Amino acid sequence: MTMTTDEAYTYTTGLRLDPRSANPDGWRVDWADGPWPVKVYSGARRLPLRPDGPPPLAALHRLLHGGFAVSRIRTDPSGGIAATPADPRPHHGPEVQLRRPVPSGGAMYPTEVYAALTATGQVCHYDPYRHELTVLAGGDAAARLRAALHLPAEAAPAAVLVLTSRFWKNFYKYGDFATRLGLVDAGVALGRAARLARAEWEHAEVRTVFDDEAVHACLGLDGEEENAWAAVTLGPYLPYRADTGGPDAPPRPALLERSRTVRRSDRFTAFQRAAREDTSTAAPAPASEDAVPAAAPGPVPGDAVPVGPVPLPAPRALDLLAAETAARRFSRGRLFTGAEADGEALAGVLGQAAEALRALAGAGVDGPAGWAARTRLYCAVHRVRGVPPGWYRYAHELGALLPVGEGTGPGSARRVQEALFAASFNAELAAFTVHPVTPADWRPAGGPRAYRAQQLAVGAAIEAVTLAAAAEGLSGHAVLGFDVTRIDTAYGLDGGADTDGGTQAQICVGAVRPDPNWEIAVMPR
């Protein structure tokens, strides 16, 4: 069974509007039969990653450790899910969690990373626990993978990363909602990989349209279990010697599993199959900053304070590549203090997110590039010095906020809190909330692969917001499970394809009090 484009649109629209209805009644998580937090291969040759390794392994060490390694261990008696008055039942998630430098829904980290090494012809899987590459194939394997990715035959970059999603790592907890959450997770990882790749190699290109079945064959994947969603080239394209003289790898290593039973749903499987079979470019026409009109301001309540564009102060210089910035990144919304933020912090977070979207638009050759160009940043201001509370669209070129929808006035914090489907953290105590917005109807851009590209761009925006928040000493807590209709109404959005569209994610940003749970840094060996 494969979904038509219209059926896929109906399915994904339901995931956005009411994710609580995605799973059948009585859906329960079997914590005891979940997957391991990392993908485990046995019996393979391994390439250690370290600062003094040969090129490009030394650069891959910095990129992979800075974006994907298990770099922290966290203890949490609640298993990562705190009880609330609305849901006081005890939870039984893992009390020890392996954390990485990027955010992931429920700390599931379904995104896997593979690397094709041009110099040796090897194709490898990245082991984030051991911080090393597991060799899957040698000889001309890298050349075959580049061909499957539709890369030029006469020249090659130093290496290529392939990002995949291993479905069961998300599905066992979230069910059908993993269709959307897994894509956004991969977009966060893609944003981080592209950021680090530009820093290491200056040249980084993002691709999402390729021969899925051929890519899966090169990586030894079953497309029903794990899908390739994006590739990032590392370094400029240079002439190279054909990948036929590299070392042959031993037989493909065995994959070990913890779970006894892997569940699926017919709709989840049908959507993933339809996306694999879709060969469209999945790229809406890029738009300039001024090409997509802002939502027209709706009626302003009588007690609101009408204002024009609100200029923001110049942002502080933020180093999003510093190791300490990533180390400070965490999602601790339940620890928000309600403290006021300054205008520089708001300007810095929004500015960095806009620049990340602009960089992705410039680095891509297909889907996510067009969607990044069409993604807008809206902001609900709660407690920011010098900025009236209210509902705004961010105008990056102007360095200002434009009031939209319900305009300025109190109540935005309460609205954001009430829109949460699961009140598991104190959203109303954040200083401000960022909402990436795209055209909600992805069908004008193509088939189901267009939806994949749209959600990857949303994830890249989340990566930038949360990282910039960390650089400002704040916490950025992202969620997808909220009442988008309530938030769209506040912004005056209608969800149309020819307007700014509808909200896709919610990132609450604010100061937090100290965390009572331990988190220990892990040093690479």
Side-chain angles (χ1 to χ4, degrees), residues 131-142:
H131 188 54
E132 56 192 16
L133 297 178
T134 303
V135 179
L136 302 179
D140 64 346

Side-chain angles (χ1 to χ4, degrees), residues 49-52 54 56-71 100-102 111-117 126-128 131-133 157-163 188-206 230-235 320-323 326 463 467 524:
L49 294 171
R50 55 181 184 267
D52 59 348
L57 293 184
L60 280 172
H61 154 73
R62 292 186 291 271
L63 187 157
L64 294 172
H65 189 268
F68 302 97
V70 173
S71 56
R100 309 193 196 183
V102 293
T111 304
E112 300 289 336
V113 184
Y114 298 81
L117 308 178
Y126 174 61
D127 184 336
H131 188 54
E132 56 192 16
L133 297 178
V160 181
L161 295 185
V162 179
L163 306 185
V188 171
L190 177 62
R192 184 66 170 160
R195 179 188 304 281
L196 294 170
R198 289 192 300 270
E200 288 291 341
W201 281 277
E202 295 185 2
H203 299 270
E205 184 180 272
V206 174
V232 182
T233 64
L234 308 179
L320 302 194
L321 296 172
E463 186 270 343
L467 196 60

Side-chain angles (χ1 to χ4, degrees), residues 270-292:
F271 175 82
Q272 303 299 344
R273 188 174 296 148
R276 288 196 300 274
E277 295 172 357
D278 178 16
T279 58
S280 65
T281 61
S288 69
E289 181 71 22
D290 297 323
V292 180

Side-chain angles (χ1 to χ4, degrees), residues 105-395:
M108 297 289 101
Y109 301 105
T111 304
E112 300 289 336
V113 184
Y114 298 81
L117 308 178
T118 297
T120 62
Q122 295 166 308
V123 169
C124 310
H125 171 260
Y126 174 61
D127 184 336
Y129 183 74
R130 297 186 180 188
H131 188 54
E132 56 192 16
L133 297 178
T134 303
V135 179
L136 302 179
D140 64 346
R144 287 186 284 109
L145 180 59
R146 290 197 302 274
L149 293 171
H150 299 161
L151 297 180
E154 66 281 357
V160 181
L161 295 185
V162 179
L163 306 185
T164 73
S165 185
R166 197 168 189 226
F167 298 143
W168 180 233
K169 289 182 70 179
N170 242 9
F171 191 93
Y172 94 95
K173 180 178 179 181
Y174 294 106
D176 269 75
F177 190 57
T179 303
R180 183 174 180 221
L181 185 59
L183 278 167
V184 173
D185 260 62
V188 171
L190 177 62
R192 184 66 170 160
R195 179 188 304 281
L196 294 170
R198 289 192 300 270
E200 288 291 341
W201 281 277
E202 295 185 2
H203 299 270
E205 184 180 272
V206 174
R207 290 176 176 262
T208 60
V209 177
F210 37 73
D211 186 337
D212 292 50
E213 296 305 320
V215 170
H216 296 160
C218 290
L219 301 178
L221 306 181
D222 179 347
E224 299 290 305
E225 306 292 333
E226 183 177 343
N227 270 195
W229 280 346
V232 182
T233 64
L234 308 179
Y237 288 79
L238 299 173
Y240 75 103
R241 181 172 55 85
D243 297 334
T244 56
D248 289 331
R252 189 176 294 274
L255 179 62
L256 304 183
E257 301 281 6
R258 174 179 181 266
S259 301
R260 299 177 301 276
T261 303
V262 175
R263 291 183 288 176
R264 285 287 182 272
S265 82
D266 290 340
R267 293 188 303 171
F268 180 95
T269 300
F271 175 82
Q272 303 299 344
R273 188 174 296 148
R276 288 196 300 274
E277 295 172 357
D278 178 16
T279 58
S280 65
T281 61
S288 69
E289 181 71 22
D290 297 323
V292 180
V300 178
D303 59 351
V305 180
V307 295
V310 179
L312 294 174
R316 285 180 282 267
L318 302 178
D319 186 358
L320 302 194
L321 296 172
E324 55 268 24
T325 299
R328 287 196 301 265
R329 190 213 56 76
F330 50 82
S331 301
R332 299 288 185 270
R334 63 188 177 88
L335 301 177
F336 281 144
T337 65
E340 191 177 51
D342 60 28
E344 288 82 0
L346 176 60
V349 169
L350 292 174
Q352 289 291 341
E355 288 298 333
L357 288 169
R358 179 173 294 178
L360 181 58
V365 296
D366 49 43
W371 282 106
R374 295 296 300 272
T375 300
R376 298 291 174 263
L377 299 173
Y378 281 64
C379 185
V381 174
H382 315 314
R383 302 171 185 84
V384 177
R385 284 193 295 277
V387 181
W391 305 88
Y392 300 91
R393 180 172 77 95
Y394 176 58

Side-chain angles (χ1 to χ4, degrees), residues 491-520:
Y491 284 125
L493 295 166
D494 64 8
D498 58 349
T499 70
D500 276 11
T503 53
Q504 294 287 345
Q506 179 167 285
I507 312 105
C508 299
V509 180
V512 293
R513 64 181 185 271
D515 194 329
N517 296 314
W518 286 94
E519 191 160 289
I520 304 168

Side-chain angles (χ1 to χ4, degrees), residues 41-56:
Y41 283 103
S42 175
R45 181 185 174 208
R46 294 175 177 270
L47 305 177
L49 294 171
R50 55 181 184 267
D52 59 348

